[in-house]
Amino acid sequence: MRNRWSDREAANLVGRYNEGISEDRALRVYTTRALGGDPGLVLHGGGNTSVKTTMLDGIGESHEVICVKGSGWDMATIEPAGLPAVKLAPVRRLRALDVLTDEEMVNQTRLALLDSTAPIPSIETLLHAFLPHKFVDHTHANAVLSLVDQENSEEISREVWGDEMAFIPYIMPGFALSKAAADAYDSTPGVKGLILDKHGIFTFAETARESYELMIEMVSHAEARIRGAGKKTFVSRALPDRVAPLSNVAPILRGEMAEPLGDGDWRRMVLSHRNSHIGDYVDGSDLRDYARRGVITPDHIIRTKNMPLIVPSPAADDLAAFAIAVRKAVADFVTAYRAYFDANDIDPDDPKTMIDPMPRVILVPGLGLFGLGKSAREAAVAADIAEATVQTITDAEAVGRYTCLPEAELFRMEYWSLEQAKLSKAKEKPLQRQIVAITGGAGTIGAATARLFATSGAEVVVLDLDRDKAANVALEIGKAARGFECDVTDPASVASAFDGIVETFGGLDILISNAGAAWQGRIGELDDATLRRSFELNFFGHQSVAQAAVKIMLAQGTGGALLFNASKQAVNPGSNFGAYGLPKAATLFLSRQYALDYGSAGIRSNAVNADRIRSGILTDAMIAERSTARGLDQTEYMTGNLLGVEVAAEDVAQAFLDQALALKTTGSVTTVDGGNIAAALR
């Protein structure tokens, strides 16, 4: 386990926070980030840290406080605000109680906050507070879990850490565990930390560096014990001669995971694929045994459920059979989850409401694993935890036999109100769980559309001929947006880009076919090469990406939307603009042909006819040229519509969004031009 402490970096951070943030708190931030930045120690909100210090309240009165990680903060990126200060004296008095409910425990810690607007303190605040040390660190280190996830975990703990660490049999986090941890330290005051069975590890000291380095040292002891056991080799199962590629398999999985909501709507999942260093595990002949014993630490269950979905290995020459097998596996998983819920929801005084029974991790022999979630971020979290699970169970099997907590204990954790509170309860945005690809995405209209769809909840893929510009737009959007190079006139480039979409997110729900460029000239004098070049981009480019999108949508079986950027030129041609208008007219009817041919599959196809939008097509130079041709000044030209307003790229983006949300509209054309009767369809 690498020690990440750096005197220079620590001093720099202390200096950065030199106003209003004490050295204690600054160093607590520094070592918390060092712990959180190592996935072998902490994953996605897991673990917590604290420091005991003194602070002033709002009226200048000094208090002894414990600054402990707050709810919603990730250790890898924490700031001082993520360590809310809790008055120490009132929470320490709670140790004298025999019983304290979870609700009252949370209430008491919130009442003791120095700032009532601060984040909710960690559910393990009392454990930190009851220990006497200034700095306390807690992680779910994979190596430690490999040793404590054993039937003889206490024996192994004594062997590895001797008297340096106190061992605590499993107790669910909360007041009882906090008291047990404090009692364990009081009975063995020389220990450097605590090993919590089936849970994780605590270290503590009087300085941030010492507590941090104790964590690294104790986890390193666990790693040494695992290395001494030798590498675990799983016996491989027989796989098909040719395993189907990820680009063919992911849409099938995603489609079978979707739940119909009626009226053409679906509750979809986003996928995150992993296949690095997990092949032996996922391809093992005993996968259904070791992979289904339960989570490596109860804290993970709300992210991954207690076990993964396991499906057969997909043969490249029989994807239809694979789809049938996946459908059955999903149905069996849901049935088993409902039975698990019914068997454990037995407290008449505290009945639970079942969360959705769909899996959050899928194991596919020959292909790897998938994390699933309602967003790309949630899917990545599930996949990260699944990868850690693979490593931890592999090491546990090398040491002995991986053993998880009983099902009833895991159910308590999964449905514990304080754990459920970690999950977002925010209302989903209208395009949440959907994946959109936008060609010409780095252009003015494409970028505006990408931004709007991202704020509406979609996972966005920006496709553009210019790879760097596509990446920059995706970076500007943030979240999990991605930018890919795509030349819509090159079938190989299109195939590569759409494979990339599937490999990144698992599928595709909305295509906005927007790429285009304009050529001018009187049609009778236009050279053949120019007209063909325009058709390649402004018609065949739309056809090429639509074909690729439809293939994915049909594999998913959950419908989708093809949205084409046509043009006013398609119905109201302008003089000297035939090279652009002719292929756009064909594209308008292409959109209707897709509506006709694929409506029965739930795939909607609509077009937007926009006019006079400042963009890469309608440049300042072209505006000057077109306005001169019509005998107008530029302002008159750009506002020459019934509403007398200039139409912007954001207005076109809104039209695409409206079409994406119109679940019962297909074969439609939306005009975005401020009003032009000559261009109205009739």
Side-chain angles (χ1 to χ4, degrees):
M1 177 62 60
R2 182 166 73 90
N3 185 335
R4 295 170 180 254
W5 178 275
S6 162
D7 288 335
R8 179 181 57 81
E9 292 176 1
N12 286 343
L13 194 65
V14 170
R16 173 184 163 191
Y17 293 128
N18 62 359
E19 292 186 12
I21 303 297
S22 68
E23 182 175 344
D24 286 343
R25 292 173 65 200
L27 288 174
R28 178 70 289 176
V29 168
Y30 174 69
T31 53
T32 300
R33 290 181 184 175
L35 294 170
D38 190 332
L41 295 172
V42 172
L43 282 174
H44 302 295
N48 38 70
T49 60
S50 69
V51 60
K52 299 176 181 74
T53 186
T54 57
M55 290 178 62
L56 300 178
D57 62 19
I59 59 174
E61 186 175 345
S62 179
H63 297 270
E64 188 180 4
V65 299
I66 179 170
C67 296
V68 63
K69 196 197 85 165
S71 176
W73 283 85
D74 192 303
M75 288 173 63
T77 56
I78 202 163
E79 294 285 348
L83 293 161
V86 178
K87 296 173 187 175
L88 199 52
V91 293
R92 275 186 166 167
R93 286 197 294 269
L94 298 174
R95 187 179 173 188
L97 299 176
D98 293 326
V99 178
L100 186 66
T101 66
D102 295 332
E103 292 74 18
E104 191 56 32
M105 177 181 70
V106 172
N107 183 49
Q108 290 297 324
T109 55
R110 294 191 70 173
L111 286 172
L113 280 167
L114 202 64
D115 177 358
S116 64
T117 65
I120 299 172
S122 166
I123 60 177
E124 289 173 319
T125 295
L126 295 189
L127 196 160
H128 286 257
F130 291 171
L131 293 168
H133 308 81
K134 188 177 184 70
F135 289 89
V136 179
D137 296 343
H138 170 46
T139 74
H140 302 141
N142 294 343
V144 172
L145 292 173
S146 293
L147 301 185
V148 298
D149 287 348
Q150 303 281 344
E151 289 183 353
N152 61 333
S153 53
E154 184 170 7
E155 176 186 335
I156 294 174
S157 177
R158 300 299 179 206
E159 171 198 338
V160 173
W161 293 287
D163 295 332
E164 289 189 304
M165 303 289 280
F167 180 87
I168 300 177
Y170 179 77
I171 302 173
M172 185 172 171
F175 180 66
L177 176 60
S178 300
K179 288 195 67 169
D183 291 345
Y185 176 76
D186 288 348
S187 64
T188 54
V191 297
K192 300 175 181 179
L194 308 172
I195 300 297
L196 277 56
D197 194 27
K198 310 295 187 289
H199 182 156
I201 176 174
F202 277 80
T203 56
F204 30 71
E206 291 309 302
T207 69
R209 179 172 186 170
E210 185 180 1
S211 184
Y212 168 74
E213 291 186 336
L214 277 173
M215 178 65 71
I216 302 304
E217 178 186 349
M218 297 306 162
V219 175
S220 295
H221 290 334
E223 291 177 335
R225 174 65 176 84
I226 291 167
R227 286 194 300 271
K231 180 175 173 57
K232 173 66 177 180
T233 302
F234 295 101
V235 177
S236 297
R237 69 174 65 205
L239 297 175
D241 291 337
R242 278 197 315 121
V243 176
L246 173 61
S247 57
N248 288 347
V249 172
I252 294 173
L253 294 173
R254 186 165 182 259
E256 296 301 338
M257 285 293 305
E259 301 173 86
L261 300 175
D263 292 331
D265 199 7
W266 295 81
R267 180 181 289 110
R268 299 170 170 92
M269 290 285 194
V270 182
L271 274 57
S272 180
H273 176 252
R274 309 293 166 83
N275 195 28
S276 177
H277 311 298
I278 63 174
D280 288 348
Y281 178 97
V282 176
D283 298 348
S285 60
D286 295 327
L287 178 65
R288 289 188 173 275
D289 173 25
Y290 53 76
R292 292 166 59 89
R293 293 182 201 158
V295 290
I296 59 176
T297 179
D299 191 67
H300 288 172
I301 196 166
I302 60 169
R303 311 287 184 184
T304 64
K305 287 195 161 61
N306 192 29
M307 62 183 65
L309 170 70
I310 300 174
V311 301
S313 183
D317 57 357
D318 200 353
L319 287 173
F322 175 71
I324 293 170
V326 172
R327 189 172 306 130
K328 182 180 184 306
V330 172
D332 290 347
F333 185 98
V334 170
T335 298
Y337 187 86
R338 293 184 188 278
Y340 152 80
F341 179 85
D342 292 340
N344 291 284
D345 183 31
I346 57 178
D347 185 350
D349 297 325
D350 186 23
K352 309 296 185 185
T353 299
M354 190 177 74
I355 57 179
D356 88 81
M358 302 298 281
R360 293 297 186 272
V361 175
I362 305 175
L363 304 183
V364 187
L367 206 59
L369 66 81
F370 294 84
L372 297 92
K374 65 184 178 185
S375 66
R377 182 186 181 281
E378 279 195 9
V381 167
D384 286 347
I385 292 174
E387 280 191 297
T389 299
V390 168
Q391 183 61 56
T392 301
I393 294 179
T394 300
D395 289 342
E397 287 285 292
V399 170
R401 186 179 190 277
Y402 172 66
T403 304
C404 188
L405 287 167
E407 185 181 89
E409 283 293 337
L410 293 171
F411 178 85
R412 286 181 64 202
M413 194 69 173
E414 183 174 7
Y415 282 88
W416 188 26
S417 61
L418 302 189
E419 280 293 283
Q420 286 293 317
K422 295 179 181 180
L423 301 177
S424 173
K425 300 297 192 296
K427 182 179 179 181
E428 293 190 15
K429 294 182 178 181
L431 290 179
Q432 188 97 34
R433 304 169 180 266
Q434 297 199 51
I435 301 154
V436 58
I438 304 165
T439 68
T444 306
I445 292 174
T449 304
R451 287 191 293 268
L452 182 60
F453 273 68
T455 60
S456 299
E459 308 298 340
V460 174
V461 181
V462 179
L463 301 176
D464 200 272
L465 186 61
D466 189 316
R467 182 201 308 268
D468 292 338
K469 288 182 178 179
N472 288 338
V473 172
L475 185 64
E476 174 202 337
I477 291 170
K479 294 177 57 180
R482 296 291 298 274
F484 293 151
E485 179 181 348
C486 182
D487 179 353
V488 299
T489 67
D490 179 359
S493 178
V494 170
S496 175
F498 280 76
D499 282 352
I501 294 169
V502 171
E503 291 164 5
T504 303
F505 295 114
L508 179 66
D509 304 298
I510 302 166
L511 168 69
I512 299 175
S513 187
N514 169 70
W519 285 268
Q520 299 186 72
R522 296 176 69 185
I523 193 66
E525 300 166 9
L526 198 66
D527 65 277
D528 192 56
T530 298
L531 186 59
R532 289 182 182 277
R533 186 180 176 196
S534 182
F535 262 92
E536 282 296 324
L537 176 58
N538 293 312
F539 173 74
F540 286 106
H542 291 284
Q543 164 68 345
S544 183
V545 296
Q547 282 183 317
V550 163
K551 179 182 176 182
I552 297 167
M553 292 173 184
L554 291 175
Q556 291 173 158
T558 57
L562 306 174
L563 308 179
F564 297 87
N565 191 345
S567 169
K568 163 260 185 189
Q569 296 294 324
V571 294
N572 178 221
S575 60
N576 298 330
F577 223 33
Y580 179 66
L582 287 170
K584 282 295 189 178
T587 295
L588 178 64
F589 284 89
L590 178 72
S591 74
R592 291 184 164 175
Q593 194 66 46
Y594 271 101
L596 180 65
D597 288 347
Y598 293 98
S600 60
I603 297 174
R604 296 169 286 120
S605 180
N606 297 294
V608 169
N609 275 355
D611 188 28
R612 302 184 192 181
I613 312 296
R614 294 182 187 271
S615 65
I617 291 179
L618 190 59
T619 62
D620 290 343
M622 185 173 288
I623 290 171
E625 183 177 336
R626 300 304 297 170
S627 59
T628 299
R630 298 198 178 202
L632 303 170
D633 66 36
Q634 293 184 30
T635 299
E636 289 174 328
Y637 176 73
M638 293 302 292
T639 61
N641 53 57
L642 298 178
L643 297 178
V645 296
E646 181 172 337
V647 184
E650 288 74 17
D651 301 311
V652 182
Q654 184 62 52
F656 281 130
L657 178 61
D658 293 342
Q659 290 181 340
L661 295 173
L663 298 179
K664 297 182 179 179
T665 299
T666 193
S668 173
V669 180
T670 300
T671 301
V672 185
D673 61 6
N676 178 0
I677 294 300
L681 291 173
R682 57 188 180 271

